[in-house]
Amino acid sequence: MKSLNTYKNITTIVITLISILCFSTTSYADDNKKRRAGKMSTPDGFDQVLLYMGTGIFDPNNPEPFPGVTGCNGGFCDGEFFQKEIMKRTDEEIAALEQSAKDYFNTEYGLNVDELVADERIEFKDFTFNPDIQYRLYAKSGTRVPSEGWIIRDGGFHIVVKDPNGIELGGDHIGKTATTNNMMFFGNYNILVTDRYGYPKRELIINYQSSDPALITPDGSLMTFNCEIIHEKWGVGQAYGTYEFIPQDDGRIQANGRNILTFGKLSTVTEYPAFPAHDMHPYGH
């Protein structure tokens, strides 16, 4: 007959094995839960990568697509809604930001905004990006973003070149000419981040300014842009985007936009792993 101590030892071993098994199962479940969470990994060489898309359908003849958003002409509406309702800026703050935009366009492109507006060679105005375009953030490294994305409220100031002969640029663009197919931007992305129940919990704000004049095709069906972006934590980065505008049978327009943002501007990776080799195939093939 086994002693009482023997039974106690066996019991201790069984309890220990069960504890180990439960701990291992819990850890495995936790790992699986993290994998299922759908967090986007951060690409090597970058601190942060984000993907925006704008795929909504808008009516180019509707000047008020959303309560308070007025003066819409296609994708751009009057800027007061963005500045006052979204960014909650005072008149003094808006005036200071407008001057910052003019200073930037002067330093970057050698453009004296006030003189060019007076000569009717450019148009300079504030804008709110049309909400019906449904500009949204769909992926952000290190973060689980819901499948419906997070709404991006986009607005600021822009230049539209009106002179049919174009405008010679200066600043960091000496030797280049801005044409009637060019625009330049200075503004903010205000991203409405929601919790798991879909309620707003904070605003993610990224500033942007055109690194090169945005290019619009003569028929207005395609726009490509390149902007320097700034975030208080991530520093300076780069945004490259494109928008296609597809007419619908009912007169409305389907937007088809993509914008990739990276912090920093360039990858810090200069050498990549030698394995797998570029010409390899999966084992067994």
Side-chain angles (χ1 to χ4, degrees):
M1 179 179 290
K2 293 181 177 157
S3 66
L4 181 60
N5 286 337
T6 300
Y7 283 113
K8 287 182 178 178
N9 290 337
I10 293 173
T11 301
T12 300
I13 291 171
V14 170
I15 291 173
T16 301
L17 288 173
I18 291 173
S19 299
I20 292 172
L21 180 60
C22 288
F23 177 76
S24 300
T25 303
T26 301
S27 299
Y28 180 75
D30 287 345
D31 288 342
N32 272 343
K33 186 177 180 180
K34 289 178 181 178
R35 283 192 285 269
R36 288 197 303 269
K39 290 185 177 180
M40 172 182 163
S41 63
T42 302
D44 289 346
F46 294 99
D47 296 322
Q48 190 65 237
V49 175
L50 306 93
L51 168 65
Y52 297 174
M53 293 194 290
T55 57
I57 297 177
F58 65 97
D59 184 349
N61 298 312
N62 181 5
E64 299 183 20
F66 184 85
V69 178
T70 60
C72 295
N73 181 14
F76 298 99
C77 309
D78 288 343
E80 184 172 324
F81 180 86
F82 178 79
Q83 298 297 341
K84 292 191 172 181
E85 300 300 324
I86 301 300
M87 299 302 291
K88 300 298 183 182
R89 290 175 174 141
T90 64
D91 289 337
E92 292 75 18
E93 289 172 330
I94 295 170
L97 187 67
E98 178 178 349
Q99 186 58 52
S100 294
K102 292 178 180 179
D103 292 343
Y104 175 76
F105 292 135
N106 188 27
T107 301
E108 178 72 16
Y109 297 102
L111 300 178
N112 186 314
V113 172
D114 291 333
E115 287 185 4
L116 291 168
V117 169
D119 293 338
E120 299 184 349
R121 300 186 68 197
I122 68 169
E123 179 182 81
F124 173 82
K125 63 182 300 183
D126 58 359
F127 73 91
T128 297
F129 201 46
N130 192 323
D132 280 354
I133 290 178
Q134 294 295 333
Y135 207 14
R136 291 172 179 254
L137 183 153
Y138 284 95
K140 175 182 175 296
S141 54
T143 305
R144 182 187 183 279
V145 179
S147 59
E148 67 271 18
W150 289 330
I151 294 172
I152 302 170
R153 288 81 65 87
D154 181 355
F157 297 87
H158 66 194
I159 284 176
V160 179
V161 177
K162 309 298 286 186
D163 190 328
N165 297 315
I167 296 174
E168 293 296 322
L169 300 178
D172 293 335
H173 299 265
I174 293 176
K176 298 180 181 179
T177 300
T179 72
T180 53
N181 294 326
N182 286 146
M183 295 179 69
M184 287 153 260
F185 300 97
F186 184 96
N188 315 108
Y189 298 125
N190 182 311
I191 301 163
L192 191 61
V193 179
T194 59
D195 61 20
R196 60 179 177 171
Y197 302 108
Y199 292 102
K201 66 177 182 179
R202 64 186 177 91
E203 293 171 314
L204 170 60
I205 297 174
I206 299 174
N207 306 322
Y208 62 83
Q209 50 201 29
S210 290
S211 298
D212 287 297
L215 179 62
I216 303 173
T217 54
D219 64 356
S221 63
L222 184 69
M223 177 175 70
T224 57
F225 53 91
N226 168 19
C227 291
E228 181 179 72
I229 51 177
I230 304 102
H231 182 266
E232 61 180 3
K233 179 181 178 181
W234 305 323
V236 178
Q238 202 76 20
Y240 291 94
T242 184
Y243 259 95
E244 179 185 16
F245 299 102
I246 306 167
Q248 305 296 292
D249 292 339
D250 61 2
R252 296 184 301 163
I253 294 176
Q254 169 85 58
N256 187 28
R258 307 289 186 273
N259 190 5
I260 303 295
L261 293 78
T262 67
F263 292 91
K265 286 188 175 184
L266 300 173
S267 173
T268 58
V269 174
T270 57
E271 295 184 6
Y272 291 83
F275 185 86
H278 187 71
D279 58 351
M280 282 187 70
H281 299 279
Y283 293 114
H285 290 266

